[in-house]
Amino acid sequence: MKSVGASLPKYDGIGHVTGTTVYVDDVPTPNGTLWAKALRSPAHRANIKRIDYTKAAALPGVHAIVTHEDIPVNTYGHLSGLGVPADEPLLAESELRYLGQPIALVVAESEAIAAEAVAAITLELEELEPLFDIRKAWDPGAPQIHQWGNWYTQFEGGLDRRQIRKGDVDAAFDRADLIVEGVYRPQAIEHVPMETQVCLVVPEPSGKLVIHSCTQAMYFSMGVVAAHLQLPLNKLKFVGGTVGGGFGGKVDTATETLCAVAARKARRPVKWRWTREEEFLVSSTRAPWHVEIADAVSKDGWILGRKMLTLHDSGAYARFSPYGLTKHSFHHTGAYTIPNLRFDGYVVFSNRVPTTAMRGFGVTSVSYSTEIHLQRIAHELKIDPYEIRLKNANRIGDTTGNGVVITDPSTVSTIQMVAEAAGDELKGDYRTMTSAMRTGDLLPEHLVGQLGNPEDH
Amino acid sequence: MRITVNGTAHELASAPLTPLLHVLREELHITSPKAGCQQGSCGTCTVIVDGEARRSCLLPVAAVDGAHITTLEGIGTPDALSPLQAAFLEKAAAQCGFCTPGFVTAATALLAENATPSRGEIREALSGHYCRCTGYVKILEAVEAVAGRAL
Ligand code: FES
Ligand code: FES
């Protein structure tokens, strides 16, 4: 326990400050390494009418063109291991659902030749109307853009949404002095790691593939590559753990699988590094969200009930979005206790790049929306924004939307620290308030009978 | 063409318009300068050319024929850190480390010019260097920690 509380030097810092850390792009490429470039969809939504690779394949220096036909299992989902059906092809077959979706991977003796070959591929499309605004996914006449419909339908029990029901919402709304409504739309964010996606795959004579990867999730990526290629794990050797920034954007397996297929097809080492443009245009982003909140509140600032509708923009395919929405749903009351809840969340498809994890996956959208909403409530009731937060703050013994009894909440102390840092004086009892179980005035009528026993958890 | 990198002279085989970054990384296998954008906008490829911090991704190697170039490898080694490298380590100014070569070379060039820069001057010299991990505060603190001391 020597390290607890101690300030230790960063374990890999010495390499970083001397330029000796070896990132994937720094790994020496073996002789004969080929370079990859992708043919990507130039349209947001289209059907492929015709592709002609003849000219590209005939260019001197081009060694292989990988298409969906080369991939043993082309459609394998990021959550397939958990039994969630897959929806995304590794390389597009006949439909294109986002700008930049990969269709083929060309490997050649240099990046320049590979790029020239990509430009020499003939691609004929029938363009279709794309869907970008997830709130419009339900509109009659909205383009139907996904084989499951415009939103994900594979939650447990055949549900097409993540739902939470607690208490008696209708009674809370009947009893309310005021209903406060708001719509919040946190936007997409690109992770922008300073190291773009990059991968080097070196086939060994034994048939084993050595995969130099910048993934944030080594074993996960190994499983994904093995599933697509239908190889046992002992044929894959992942070398990684040095990541030039990820922030969630390197959880999806972006380059490893296609490089591995290409290396097997060409029987040569293959390296693929994305340009900064590719990173911005086609790498996954944090999702945009559409959040509608209606709160039943009392004049003195208690939140009696909440109805909430969340739409999570998944982009063209599901990837990890159902997981992100699930986390979002668990946090949909923010750091506060509301006993009567009706939450419905949908993972909605659009013709954007598939979205993914980013620092606080699914949760920042909730914090953003609920905190602004609390501010709005305080404004409408003309009460102190600190007071409304401290009143409704999670306390020991409070129960969350899905029935977890809270044993060690930090909302109260956090808000007190925020007030102090902002130089704002808290009123009366709020200055000395703790997270102890609610009693007296701070056990309001709407929470009577709602407390759990922290000892049981 | 000939360049001297970290004290060693090299005759170059690369074509004259090859970016210096590629010459360093691909021909000479000096990999601390990183290809973060290859458009001159992120700073990860920064090296010191005849005393001046330059972005090597947009610099044709012919333009630096005969120059003396210092990369992060030439500033200090794991056994003999420069004071600035030691400060980056101690202040946790390098997280993923991908931006670090650019920051340390640029700040080293600044301190060689101006041993006691103000925080404003440090910010100015490092503006246009992107770091997505640290939030910059620790980087500024590391540079300030050595400002006014011998390099
Ligand atoms: S790689 Fe040179 S500035 Fe980004
Ligand atoms: S430490 Fe990761 S980008 Fe700066």
Side-chain angles (χ1 to χ4, degrees):
Chain A
M1 297 305 266
K2 271 192 216 124
S3 40
V4 174
S7 177
L8 300 174
K10 191 164 155 25
Y11 74 99
D12 53 0
I14 196 99
H16 295 353
V17 302
T18 53
T20 51
T21 300
V22 179
Y23 299 85
V24 175
D25 196 30
D26 304 334
V27 174
T29 45
N31 282 339
T33 297
L34 302 174
W35 297 83
K37 285 281 177 194
L39 169 68
R40 298 181 175 283
S41 171
H44 296 291
R45 181 168 174 243
N47 289 324
I48 299 177
K49 306 280 278 186
R50 189 173 78 91
I51 308 187
D52 186 350
Y53 295 107
T54 330
K55 262 200 272 166
L59 277 182
V62 171
H63 283 246
I65 300 179
V66 173
T67 72
H68 68 90
E69 288 171 3
D70 296 302
I71 303 162
V73 172
N74 191 35
T75 301
Y76 179 82
H78 281 63
L79 294 172
S80 289
L82 300 176
V84 173
D87 65 337
E88 181 176 8
L90 188 60
L91 287 176
E93 295 176 16
S94 56
E95 282 180 65
L96 298 173
R97 294 190 184 163
Y98 69 94
L99 189 83
Q101 180 169 7
I103 303 166
L105 194 75
V106 177
V107 289
E109 272 159 32
S110 70
E111 280 179 308
I113 298 172
E116 198 186 327
V118 166
I121 298 168
T122 308
L123 180 64
E124 278 175 30
L125 303 180
E126 174 202 5
E127 289 210 36
L128 301 168
E129 189 195 346
L131 175 69
F132 293 124
D133 186 333
I134 47 174
R135 191 68 181 85
K136 294 188 175 148
W138 278 264
D139 286 358
Q144 294 294 305
I145 62 161
H146 191 283
Q147 68 265 36
W148 296 336
N150 280 351
W151 57 92
Y152 181 84
T153 51
Q154 315 286 324
F155 285 107
E156 299 84 344
L159 280 184
D160 66 348
R161 64 193 174 276
R162 178 59 75 200
Q163 66 172 41
I164 290 178
R165 303 284 184 264
K166 190 184 177 206
D168 187 341
V169 177
D170 293 331
F173 274 70
D174 286 346
R175 216 164 63 227
D177 295 319
L178 188 68
I179 313 289
V180 180
E181 294 178 318
V183 179
Y184 307 95
R185 305 196 82 179
Q187 291 304 297
I189 301 176
E190 162 57 33
H191 307 81
V192 203
M194 297 316 294
E195 173 200 53
T196 59
Q197 292 281 1
V198 55
C199 176
L200 169 67
V201 176
V202 183
E204 291 190 336
S206 64
K208 187 181 265 198
L209 297 171
V210 181
I211 301 179
H212 297 271
S213 166
C214 67
T215 180
Q216 286 178 249
M218 289 275 282
Y219 292 95
F220 172 78
S221 293
M222 200 156 155
V224 169
V225 174
H228 278 293
L229 273 72
Q230 293 291 290
L231 286 177
L233 292 177
N234 65 9
K235 290 284 183 214
L236 302 176
K237 178 177 168 186
F238 263 70
V239 184
T242 303
V243 182
F247 320 114
K250 287 176 181 160
V251 174
D252 298 12
T253 309
T255 52
E256 293 83 350
T257 322
L258 280 177
C259 271
V261 175
R264 272 160 66 93
K265 186 167 184 183
R267 299 174 183 282
R268 295 268 286 266
V270 170
K271 184 166 174 179
W272 188 15
R273 54 183 177 196
W274 287 13
T275 62
R276 180 54 64 191
E277 288 88 339
E278 280 178 299
E279 193 71 37
F280 269 114
L281 291 175
V282 306
S283 76
S284 53
T285 64
R286 188 200 281 287
W289 300 71
H290 176 99
V291 178
E292 298 182 10
I293 304 175
D295 279 355
V297 298
S298 68
K299 281 197 295 287
D300 51 349
W302 292 103
I303 305 173
L304 312 175
R306 169 167 292 176
K307 295 179 193 167
M308 185 157 156
L309 169 71
T310 286
L311 311 181
H312 173 164
D313 190 336
S314 185
Y317 297 99
R319 292 204 189 162
F320 291 112
S321 290
Y323 172 76
L325 177 70
T326 297
K327 284 185 67 184
H328 176 104
S329 73
F330 292 170
H331 291 270
H332 83 277
T333 60
Y336 309 95
T337 291
I338 308 172
N340 302 298
L341 301 168
R342 183 185 298 156
F343 172 88
D344 291 298
Y346 294 83
V347 167
V348 186
F349 298 116
S350 71
N351 293 109
R352 296 173 33 85
V353 292
T355 60
T356 193
M358 185 171 184
R359 315 188 115 179
F361 191 16
V363 179
T364 50
S365 51
V366 144
S367 308
Y368 171 85
S369 307
T370 58
E371 289 299 331
I372 297 177
H373 198 67
L374 283 184
Q375 211 64 17
R376 176 171 282 175
I377 295 170
H379 182 78
E380 294 207 9
L381 293 176
K382 297 190 179 43
I383 64 175
D384 179 6
Y386 288 112
E387 178 178 338
I388 192 163
R389 286 177 169 80
L390 287 165
K391 255 189 170 158
N392 294 282
N394 283 337
R395 302 275 296 263
I396 293 170
D398 287 349
T399 55
T400 68
N402 37 6
V404 175
V405 178
I406 294 172
T407 55
D408 189 19
S410 54
T411 315
V412 170
S413 54
T414 303
I415 291 175
Q416 287 166 335
M417 282 170 76
V418 168
E420 194 182 324
D424 290 333
E425 183 91 355
L426 291 177
K427 287 190 202 118
D429 291 346
Y430 291 113
R431 214 173 312 137
T432 50
M433 180 175 177
T434 70
S435 291
M437 261 184 132
R438 298 176 191 277
T439 50
D441 275 359
L442 291 171
L443 178 59
E445 197 195 321
H446 76 287
L447 287 175
V448 172
Q450 293 288 335
L451 302 192
N453 183 358
E455 302 293 316
D456 295 345
H457 284 259
Chain B
M1 285 173 307
R2 192 186 164 85
I3 55 176
T4 302
V5 185
N6 302 329
T8 306
H10 300 272
E11 285 297 334
L12 300 179
S14 296
L17 291 183
T18 311
L20 174 61
L21 176 65
H22 287 238
V23 173
L24 293 170
R25 290 184 58 85
E26 318 286 337
E27 185 177 343
L28 303 179
H29 306 292
I30 294 168
T31 56
S32 77
K34 304 289 182 222
C37 69
Q38 305 192 64
Q39 310 179 333
S41 48
C42 75
T44 60
C45 63
T46 304
V47 298
I48 302 171
V49 180
D50 292 333
E52 197 188 332
R54 303 283 299 271
R55 296 181 177 212
S56 64
C57 66
L58 291 187
L59 201 53
V61 65
V64 297
D65 191 9
H68 285 258
I69 291 160
T70 306
T71 68
L72 183 56
E73 291 93 335
I75 287 175
T77 61
D79 297 330
L81 298 178
S82 79
L84 185 61
Q85 287 171 317
F88 263 68
L89 184 61
E90 194 196 302
K91 303 273 181 202
Q95 267 184 50
C96 81
F98 207 81
C99 67
T100 311
F103 276 100
V104 175
T105 47
T108 299
L110 167 72
L111 293 168
E113 264 298 86
N114 174 2
T116 54
S118 64
R119 185 165 266 231
E121 287 168 325
I122 298 171
R123 292 180 82 110
E124 178 74 32
L126 299 182
S127 69
H129 284 257
Y130 290 165
C131 175
R132 287 291 283 168
C133 301
T134 64
Y136 303 102
V137 172
K138 289 166 191 291
I139 293 174
L140 293 173
E141 285 173 2
V143 180
E144 276 185 333
V146 294
R149 281 167 39 194
L151 286 180

